[in-house]
Amino acid sequence: MSDTKFTKGKWWACVDEDSCWVDSVEGGLITDLSRTDVSIHESDSNAHLIAAAPEMYELLKDLFDNYEGLGLSMDNQIEKLLAKARGE
């Protein structure tokens, strides 16, 4: 499994009445969702999903690493999803 290249550290969603972005402790701005064609409510949901992505990735990686080789049917699906998250 290749190394991840996304910004390290905790990510969080920042939302106010008319702007929405995802920020990181170590890398600063991850993305600004204020400039999209979707509503601020949808951008808010998208921001929270994006902010949770690194933690979800790590949890899936831990599951994959701990269950690899046990013949569980999810192994291949988890591996494909992790590769997709890495842009492979």
Side-chain angles (χ1 to χ4, degrees):
M1 194 173 295
S2 64
D3 292 331
T4 58
K5 295 175 181 66
F6 49 78
T7 304
K8 303 230 184 299
K10 185 169 176 61
W11 295 11
W12 67 90
C14 305
V15 180
D16 60 27
E17 290 181 13
D18 57 7
S19 61
C20 183
W21 66 96
V22 178
D23 213 342
S24 151
V25 172
E26 294 187 31
L29 182 67
I30 300 297
T31 188
D32 183 352
L33 299 167
S34 302
R35 299 185 182 119
T36 64
D37 292 335
V38 300
S39 72
I40 192 66
H41 300 292
E42 191 172 340
S43 290
D44 180 3
S45 296
N46 291 341
H48 284 89
L49 178 61
I50 292 166
E55 293 172 75
M56 290 190 294
Y57 181 91
E58 287 304 318
L59 178 61
L60 281 173
K61 184 178 179 311
D62 288 347
L63 284 171
F64 179 78
D65 290 346
N66 290 322
Y67 291 103
E68 189 174 21
L70 295 178
L72 298 175
S73 61
M74 293 289 295
D75 274 7
N76 194 35
Q77 291 171 317
I78 292 172
E79 185 175 26
K80 285 180 181 179
L81 185 56
L82 291 170
K84 181 178 180 180
R86 291 189 303 269
E88 297 171 4

